[in-house]
Amino acid sequence: MNCNIAVIKGDGIGPEVVGEAMKVLDKVAEKYGHTFNYDQLLMGGCSIDVHGIPLTDEAIERAKAADAVLLGSIGGNTSTSPWYKLPPDKRPEAGLLKIRKALNLFANLRPALLYPQLKGACPLKEEIAERGFDMMIMRELTGGLYFGARETKEVDGVMTAVDTLTYNENEIRRIAIKGFDIAMKRRKKVTSVDKANVLDSSRLWRKIVEEVARDYPEVTYEHMLVDNCAMQLVKDPAQFDVVLTENMFGDILSDEASMITGSIGMLASASLNETKFGMYEPSGGSAPDIAGQNKANPIATILSAAMMLRFTFDLDKEAEAIEKAIIQVLDENYRTIDILSDGKQLVSCSEMGDLIAERV
Ligand code: NAD
């Protein structure tokens, strides 16, 4: 297969971790007979340094022309970096918001997986961590409360703020279809999360999800109220496969889910549009505190590359080969500093990339 990948290494640890992901992808290409063509683009602080803005129109066009985007992370130290003396729309993060919008990335996927080898990092009770968990939080990314009309004004002498939560049936249907499609590639269970006992937007959400579910007879689905879901995530996370939810609930629940895995350097993410196109990136930021020291954990970015193979290119076997190589490296007790514990062998970012590539 011939795959065109726009690569945005970004700032901080971005170039280090993306370099390791490309190393692993090149090994996949060699072993399975694919060609990965990389088009390297600037976004974030590195683009400000060269072009004066965090993302150029030319970079957007080149990203659109690719099949997928592999992203590291952008931004610097928000207290000391000169990038943060610029107005908000010129700062590194503005590039990220701009590219998400330009590429119409409405579906955000964040896997939360507890590796048995790292269960000591899980902050939950031992008997819960013992059972493990492997879920995909699927969050609607371009609608709902964060994008609705808002204003703050004085009403009868009292300051009053209004935010509007709007969803139409098309926005709900397209994310629900993505959620059920992804469940078909996993354990075939969807938990749709809403607040249908209070909100009209949630009642419409529930109705449309039920309609979509009829087209997926193999998938078991259930509805869960968001407050209950927040509790269930810490009480019994093993029950979840795909958690499908709207923007704000997903924002909060995905952070809760990543917290219970205990290790930010292991968490991948993907944002998809209506086609197979996606942008794939680690959940963490640019970690300026360890940038340039060859200390970062590249696994989140390597797992993001595996998600790209699975969801954009339908290369499930190759994605699995990467995931298995990571498990093997952990089984062999190699750890970067962020996941190091007693008796394990410390390796650098590039050594971790080498070890995984060798085992693909
Ligand atoms: P951060 O995720 O960069 O760092 C938080 C902590 O986690 C740090 O101690 C860091 O060393 C550690 N960490 C993160 N990723 C790691 C990895 N792969 N391996 C080992 N340790 C890792 O969050 P922050 O410090 O709040 O933000 C730093 C910068 O990153 C800011 O400019 C912020 O705006 C930006 N940011 C970018 C993105 C993105 O590009 N999508 C996301 C979040 C934050």
mmCIF file of all heavy atoms in Angstrom, residues 226-263:
data_model
loop_
_atom_site.group_PDB
_atom_site.id
_atom_site.type_symbol
_atom_site.label_atom_id
_atom_site.label_comp_id
_atom_site.label_asym_id
_atom_site.label_seq_id
_atom_site.Cartn_x
_atom_site.Cartn_y
_atom_site.Cartn_z
ATOM 1 N N VAL A 226 -24.288 10.556 32.476
ATOM 2 C CA VAL A 226 -22.886 10.948 32.603
ATOM 3 C C VAL A 226 -22.389 10.910 34.052
ATOM 4 O O VAL A 226 -21.234 10.542 34.312
ATOM 5 C CB VAL A 226 -22.636 12.335 31.945
ATOM 6 C CG1 VAL A 226 -23.443 13.434 32.610
ATOM 7 C CG2 VAL A 226 -21.165 12.676 31.925
ATOM 8 N N ASP A 227 -23.258 11.256 34.999
ATOM 9 C CA ASP A 227 -22.808 11.234 36.394
ATOM 10 C C ASP A 227 -22.512 9.800 36.834
ATOM 11 O O ASP A 227 -21.520 9.518 37.523
ATOM 12 C CB ASP A 227 -23.812 11.931 37.333
ATOM 13 C CG ASP A 227 -25.260 11.678 36.958
ATOM 14 O OD1 ASP A 227 -25.521 11.081 35.889
ATOM 15 O OD2 ASP A 227 -26.154 12.061 37.736
ATOM 16 N N ASN A 228 -23.362 8.864 36.388
ATOM 17 C CA ASN A 228 -23.104 7.458 36.696
ATOM 18 C C ASN A 228 -21.816 6.985 36.024
ATOM 19 O O ASN A 228 -21.001 6.280 36.615
ATOM 20 C CB ASN A 228 -24.303 6.605 36.244
ATOM 21 C CG ASN A 228 -24.146 5.150 36.642
ATOM 22 O OD1 ASN A 228 -23.468 4.835 37.617
ATOM 23 N ND2 ASN A 228 -24.738 4.258 35.871
ATOM 24 N N CYS A 229 -21.596 7.431 34.778
ATOM 25 C CA CYS A 229 -20.396 7.002 34.043
ATOM 26 C C CYS A 229 -19.124 7.455 34.767
ATOM 27 O O CYS A 229 -18.157 6.696 34.875
ATOM 28 C CB CYS A 229 -20.434 7.554 32.623
ATOM 29 S SG CYS A 229 -19.082 6.970 31.614
ATOM 30 N N ALA A 230 -19.149 8.692 35.287
ATOM 31 C CA ALA A 230 -17.975 9.194 36.020
ATOM 32 C C ALA A 230 -17.677 8.294 37.221
ATOM 33 O O ALA A 230 -16.509 8.027 37.546
ATOM 34 C CB ALA A 230 -18.231 10.626 36.480
ATOM 35 N N MET A 231 -18.741 7.783 37.859
ATOM 36 C CA MET A 231 -18.540 6.878 39.014
ATOM 37 C C MET A 231 -18.064 5.504 38.560
ATOM 38 O O MET A 231 -17.146 4.921 39.126
ATOM 39 C CB MET A 231 -19.850 6.727 39.788
ATOM 40 C CG MET A 231 -20.253 7.975 40.527
ATOM 41 S SD MET A 231 -21.581 7.687 41.690
ATOM 42 C CE MET A 231 -22.989 7.462 40.634
ATOM 43 N N GLN A 232 -18.721 4.992 37.489
ATOM 44 C CA GLN A 232 -18.381 3.643 37.021
ATOM 45 C C GLN A 232 -16.925 3.551 36.534
ATOM 46 O O GLN A 232 -16.299 2.505 36.634
ATOM 47 C CB GLN A 232 -19.323 3.215 35.883
ATOM 48 C CG GLN A 232 -20.776 3.048 36.292
ATOM 49 C CD GLN A 232 -20.959 1.958 37.336
ATOM 50 O OE1 GLN A 232 -20.264 0.951 37.334
ATOM 51 N NE2 GLN A 232 -21.891 2.163 38.246
ATOM 52 N N LEU A 233 -16.401 4.678 36.014
ATOM 53 C CA LEU A 233 -15.018 4.663 35.506
ATOM 54 C C LEU A 233 -14.004 4.344 36.609
ATOM 55 O O LEU A 233 -12.981 3.719 36.350
ATOM 56 C CB LEU A 233 -14.660 6.022 34.883
ATOM 57 C CG LEU A 233 -15.043 6.212 33.426
ATOM 58 C CD1 LEU A 233 -14.772 7.656 32.997
ATOM 59 C CD2 LEU A 233 -14.270 5.266 32.513
ATOM 60 N N VAL A 234 -14.305 4.763 37.827
ATOM 61 C CA VAL A 234 -13.362 4.450 38.910
ATOM 62 C C VAL A 234 -13.773 3.195 39.678
ATOM 63 O O VAL A 234 -12.960 2.582 40.364
ATOM 64 C CB VAL A 234 -13.177 5.632 39.898
ATOM 65 C CG1 VAL A 234 -12.403 6.749 39.242
ATOM 66 C CG2 VAL A 234 -14.496 6.155 40.422
ATOM 67 N N LYS A 235 -15.046 2.792 39.547
ATOM 68 C CA LYS A 235 -15.528 1.624 40.297
ATOM 69 C C LYS A 235 -15.297 0.330 39.527
ATOM 70 O O LYS A 235 -14.860 -0.672 40.081
ATOM 71 C CB LYS A 235 -17.030 1.833 40.541
ATOM 72 C CG LYS A 235 -17.623 0.881 41.530
ATOM 73 C CD LYS A 235 -19.034 1.301 41.886
ATOM 74 C CE LYS A 235 -19.771 0.121 42.466
ATOM 75 N NZ LYS A 235 -21.031 -0.135 41.802
ATOM 76 N N ASP A 236 -15.588 0.375 38.210
ATOM 77 C CA ASP A 236 -15.507 -0.855 37.420
ATOM 78 C C ASP A 236 -15.157 -0.520 35.952
ATOM 79 O O ASP A 236 -15.958 -0.733 35.043
ATOM 80 C CB ASP A 236 -16.867 -1.581 37.497
ATOM 81 C CG ASP A 236 -16.875 -2.850 36.679
ATOM 82 O OD1 ASP A 236 -15.787 -3.363 36.352
ATOM 83 O OD2 ASP A 236 -17.986 -3.329 36.355
ATOM 84 N N PRO A 237 -13.934 0.000 35.712
ATOM 85 C CA PRO A 237 -13.596 0.425 34.343
ATOM 86 C C PRO A 237 -13.564 -0.734 33.343
ATOM 87 O O PRO A 237 -13.675 -0.503 32.134
ATOM 88 C CB PRO A 237 -12.207 1.065 34.498
ATOM 89 C CG PRO A 237 -11.662 0.557 35.784
ATOM 90 C CD PRO A 237 -12.831 0.261 36.667
ATOM 91 N N ALA A 238 -13.428 -1.958 33.825
ATOM 92 C CA ALA A 238 -13.334 -3.120 32.915
ATOM 93 C C ALA A 238 -14.619 -3.317 32.109
ATOM 94 O O ALA A 238 -14.612 -3.982 31.078
ATOM 95 C CB ALA A 238 -13.017 -4.378 33.717
ATOM 96 N N GLN A 239 -15.753 -2.725 32.566
ATOM 97 C CA GLN A 239 -17.035 -2.935 31.876
ATOM 98 C C GLN A 239 -17.097 -2.214 30.517
ATOM 99 O O GLN A 239 -17.944 -2.514 29.698
ATOM 100 C CB GLN A 239 -18.191 -2.448 32.749
ATOM 101 C CG GLN A 239 -18.240 -0.940 32.908
ATOM 102 C CD GLN A 239 -19.349 -0.451 33.837
ATOM 103 O OE1 GLN A 239 -20.513 -0.475 33.498
ATOM 104 N NE2 GLN A 239 -18.945 -0.019 35.025
ATOM 105 N N PHE A 240 -16.202 -1.220 30.289
ATOM 106 C CA PHE A 240 -16.345 -0.377 29.101
ATOM 107 C C PHE A 240 -15.523 -0.878 27.921
ATOM 108 O O PHE A 240 -14.383 -1.327 28.079
ATOM 109 C CB PHE A 240 -15.921 1.064 29.415
ATOM 110 C CG PHE A 240 -16.802 1.736 30.427
ATOM 111 C CD1 PHE A 240 -16.334 2.040 31.701
ATOM 112 C CD2 PHE A 240 -18.118 2.053 30.104
ATOM 113 C CE1 PHE A 240 -17.152 2.666 32.637
ATOM 114 C CE2 PHE A 240 -18.941 2.676 31.028
ATOM 115 C CZ PHE A 240 -18.463 2.973 32.302
ATOM 116 N N ASP A 241 -16.128 -0.751 26.718
ATOM 117 C CA ASP A 241 -15.385 -0.967 25.475
ATOM 118 C C ASP A 241 -15.324 0.390 24.762
ATOM 119 O O ASP A 241 -14.398 1.154 24.968
ATOM 120 C CB ASP A 241 -16.069 -2.059 24.640
ATOM 121 C CG ASP A 241 -15.348 -2.316 23.331
ATOM 122 O OD1 ASP A 241 -14.202 -1.871 23.187
ATOM 123 O OD2 ASP A 241 -15.935 -2.964 22.436
ATOM 124 N N VAL A 242 -16.367 0.762 23.967
ATOM 125 C CA VAL A 242 -16.415 2.101 23.376
ATOM 126 C C VAL A 242 -17.376 2.953 24.208
ATOM 127 O O VAL A 242 -18.520 2.557 24.436
ATOM 128 C CB VAL A 242 -16.898 2.048 21.912
ATOM 129 C CG1 VAL A 242 -17.107 3.456 21.364
ATOM 130 C CG2 VAL A 242 -15.877 1.306 21.048
ATOM 131 N N VAL A 243 -16.897 4.110 24.663
ATOM 132 C CA VAL A 243 -17.742 5.065 25.379
ATOM 133 C C VAL A 243 -17.994 6.222 24.413
ATOM 134 O O VAL A 243 -17.065 6.923 24.016
ATOM 135 C CB VAL A 243 -17.043 5.577 26.662
ATOM 136 C CG1 VAL A 243 -17.882 6.643 27.348
ATOM 137 C CG2 VAL A 243 -16.761 4.423 27.616
ATOM 138 N N LEU A 244 -19.253 6.379 24.012
ATOM 139 C CA LEU A 244 -19.615 7.348 22.973
ATOM 140 C C LEU A 244 -20.312 8.529 23.628
ATOM 141 O O LEU A 244 -21.335 8.345 24.304
ATOM 142 C CB LEU A 244 -20.561 6.637 21.996
ATOM 143 C CG LEU A 244 -21.239 7.458 20.922
ATOM 144 C CD1 LEU A 244 -20.219 7.995 19.932
ATOM 145 C CD2 LEU A 244 -22.273 6.599 20.191
ATOM 146 N N THR A 245 -19.772 9.747 23.419
ATOM 147 C CA THR A 245 -20.406 10.860 24.117
ATOM 148 C C THR A 245 -20.152 12.206 23.442
ATOM 149 O O THR A 245 -19.351 12.312 22.524
ATOM 150 C CB THR A 245 -19.963 10.882 25.608
ATOM 151 O OG1 THR A 245 -20.788 11.796 26.323
ATOM 152 C CG2 THR A 245 -18.505 11.281 25.768
ATOM 153 N N GLU A 246 -20.895 13.217 23.906
ATOM 154 C CA GLU A 246 -20.799 14.545 23.295
ATOM 155 C C GLU A 246 -19.558 15.288 23.812
ATOM 156 O O GLU A 246 -18.813 14.760 24.644
ATOM 157 C CB GLU A 246 -22.105 15.320 23.500
ATOM 158 C CG GLU A 246 -22.472 15.582 24.954
ATOM 159 C CD GLU A 246 -21.940 16.891 25.464
ATOM 160 O OE1 GLU A 246 -22.275 17.937 24.897
ATOM 161 O OE2 GLU A 246 -21.193 16.891 26.463
ATOM 162 N N ASN A 247 -19.366 16.505 23.324
ATOM 163 C CA ASN A 247 -18.106 17.215 23.496
ATOM 164 C C ASN A 247 -17.691 17.454 24.959
ATOM 165 O O ASN A 247 -16.617 17.032 25.385
ATOM 166 C CB ASN A 247 -18.222 18.550 22.732
ATOM 167 C CG ASN A 247 -16.870 19.134 22.389
ATOM 168 O OD1 ASN A 247 -15.853 18.722 22.931
ATOM 169 N ND2 ASN A 247 -16.859 20.082 21.476
ATOM 170 N N MET A 248 -18.532 18.110 25.735
ATOM 171 C CA MET A 248 -18.096 18.456 27.090
ATOM 172 C C MET A 248 -17.996 17.227 27.994
ATOM 173 O O MET A 248 -17.043 17.075 28.761
ATOM 174 C CB MET A 248 -19.030 19.481 27.732
ATOM 175 C CG MET A 248 -18.522 19.878 29.116
ATOM 176 S SD MET A 248 -19.488 21.145 29.922
ATOM 177 C CE MET A 248 -21.015 20.316 30.169
ATOM 178 N N PHE A 249 -18.988 16.328 27.888
ATOM 179 C CA PHE A 249 -18.913 15.117 28.723
ATOM 180 C C PHE A 249 -17.640 14.342 28.358
ATOM 181 O O PHE A 249 -16.940 13.811 29.228
ATOM 182 C CB PHE A 249 -20.132 14.209 28.500
ATOM 183 C CG PHE A 249 -21.459 14.826 28.878
ATOM 184 C CD1 PHE A 249 -22.650 14.317 28.357
ATOM 185 C CD2 PHE A 249 -21.534 15.894 29.751
ATOM 186 C CE1 PHE A 249 -23.876 14.867 28.696
ATOM 187 C CE2 PHE A 249 -22.754 16.459 30.092
ATOM 188 C CZ PHE A 249 -23.931 15.946 29.557
ATOM 189 N N GLY A 250 -17.324 14.298 27.049
ATOM 190 C CA GLY A 250 -16.153 13.558 26.583
ATOM 191 C C GLY A 250 -14.855 14.196 27.048
ATOM 192 O O GLY A 250 -13.881 13.508 27.348
ATOM 193 N N ASP A 251 -14.839 15.522 27.099
ATOM 194 C CA ASP A 251 -13.662 16.257 27.566
ATOM 195 C C ASP A 251 -13.326 15.801 28.985
ATOM 196 O O ASP A 251 -12.186 15.449 29.319
ATOM 197 C CB ASP A 251 -14.015 17.761 27.539
ATOM 198 C CG ASP A 251 -12.820 18.648 27.825
ATOM 199 O OD1 ASP A 251 -11.703 18.129 27.913
ATOM 200 O OD2 ASP A 251 -13.025 19.873 27.966
ATOM 201 N N ILE A 252 -14.355 15.755 29.823
ATOM 202 C CA ILE A 252 -14.141 15.440 31.235
ATOM 203 C C ILE A 252 -13.868 13.933 31.421
ATOM 204 O O ILE A 252 -12.915 13.541 32.089
ATOM 205 C CB ILE A 252 -15.379 15.883 32.056
ATOM 206 C CG1 ILE A 252 -15.557 17.409 31.914
ATOM 207 C CG2 ILE A 252 -15.235 15.477 33.517
ATOM 208 C CD1 ILE A 252 -16.891 17.943 32.374
ATOM 209 N N LEU A 253 -14.687 13.103 30.784
ATOM 210 C CA LEU A 253 -14.536 11.652 30.982
ATOM 211 C C LEU A 253 -13.214 11.129 30.407
ATOM 212 O O LEU A 253 -12.615 10.213 30.966
ATOM 213 C CB LEU A 253 -15.707 10.891 30.347
ATOM 214 C CG LEU A 253 -17.086 11.153 30.981
ATOM 215 C CD1 LEU A 253 -18.164 10.422 30.187
ATOM 216 C CD2 LEU A 253 -17.129 10.730 32.451
ATOM 217 N N SER A 254 -12.740 11.731 29.283
ATOM 218 C CA SER A 254 -11.488 11.214 28.699
ATOM 219 C C SER A 254 -10.299 11.551 29.603
ATOM 220 O O SER A 254 -9.359 10.766 29.706
ATOM 221 C CB SER A 254 -11.280 11.714 27.267
ATOM 222 O OG SER A 254 -11.183 13.105 27.236
ATOM 223 N N ASP A 255 -10.347 12.690 30.274
ATOM 224 C CA ASP A 255 -9.261 12.991 31.222
ATOM 225 C C ASP A 255 -9.321 12.059 32.424
ATOM 226 O O ASP A 255 -8.298 11.605 32.927
ATOM 227 C CB ASP A 255 -9.354 14.449 31.706
ATOM 228 C CG ASP A 255 -8.496 15.363 30.844
ATOM 229 O OD1 ASP A 255 -8.121 14.937 29.734
ATOM 230 O OD2 ASP A 255 -8.211 16.494 31.278
ATOM 231 N N GLU A 256 -10.543 11.772 32.880
ATOM 232 C CA GLU A 256 -10.687 10.843 34.008
ATOM 233 C C GLU A 256 -10.145 9.459 33.611
ATOM 234 O O GLU A 256 -9.393 8.833 34.359
ATOM 235 C CB GLU A 256 -12.170 10.735 34.424
ATOM 236 C CG GLU A 256 -12.363 9.904 35.683
ATOM 237 C CD GLU A 256 -13.838 9.693 36.029
ATOM 238 O OE1 GLU A 256 -14.715 10.224 35.343
ATOM 239 O OE2 GLU A 256 -14.093 8.964 37.014
ATOM 240 N N ALA A 257 -10.512 9.024 32.399
ATOM 241 C CA ALA A 257 -10.074 7.696 31.942
ATOM 242 C C ALA A 257 -8.555 7.649 31.790
ATOM 243 O O ALA A 257 -7.917 6.653 32.135
ATOM 244 C CB ALA A 257 -10.757 7.352 30.619
ATOM 245 N N SER A 258 -7.947 8.753 31.271
ATOM 246 C CA SER A 258 -6.491 8.696 31.100
ATOM 247 C C SER A 258 -5.797 8.725 32.458
ATOM 248 O O SER A 258 -4.772 8.071 32.665
ATOM 249 C CB SER A 258 -5.989 9.813 30.188
ATOM 250 O OG SER A 258 -6.389 11.054 30.658
ATOM 251 N N MET A 259 -6.380 9.435 33.409
ATOM 252 C CA MET A 259 -5.794 9.509 34.762
ATOM 253 C C MET A 259 -5.692 8.123 35.407
ATOM 254 O O MET A 259 -4.693 7.792 36.056
ATOM 255 C CB MET A 259 -6.672 10.442 35.606
ATOM 256 C CG MET A 259 -6.201 10.670 37.006
ATOM 257 S SD MET A 259 -4.591 11.441 36.984
ATOM 258 C CE MET A 259 -3.846 10.640 38.376
ATOM 259 N N ILE A 260 -6.717 7.294 35.207
ATOM 260 C CA ILE A 260 -6.685 5.992 35.885
ATOM 261 C C ILE A 260 -5.679 5.017 35.250
ATOM 262 O O ILE A 260 -5.370 3.992 35.834
ATOM 263 C CB ILE A 260 -8.096 5.337 36.020
ATOM 264 C CG1 ILE A 260 -8.750 5.141 34.656
ATOM 265 C CG2 ILE A 260 -8.972 6.162 36.947
ATOM 266 C CD1 ILE A 260 -10.055 4.363 34.716
ATOM 267 N N THR A 261 -5.149 5.357 34.062
ATOM 268 C CA THR A 261 -4.077 4.503 33.515
ATOM 269 C C THR A 261 -2.746 4.837 34.196
ATOM 270 O O THR A 261 -1.839 4.022 34.207
ATOM 271 C CB THR A 261 -3.868 4.690 31.998
ATOM 272 O OG1 THR A 261 -3.328 5.986 31.776
ATOM 273 C CG2 THR A 261 -5.148 4.529 31.216
ATOM 274 N N GLY A 262 -2.635 6.083 34.716
ATOM 275 C CA GLY A 262 -1.450 6.457 35.493
ATOM 276 C C GLY A 262 -0.228 6.847 34.685
ATOM 277 O O GLY A 262 0.789 7.195 35.262
ATOM 278 N N SER A 263 -0.267 6.795 33.343
ATOM 279 C CA SER A 263 0.958 7.114 32.604
ATOM 280 C C SER A 263 0.671 7.835 31.292
ATOM 281 O O SER A 263 0.326 7.221 30.291
ATOM 282 C CB SER A 263 1.764 5.847 32.330
ATOM 283 O OG SER A 263 0.897 4.786 32.005
#
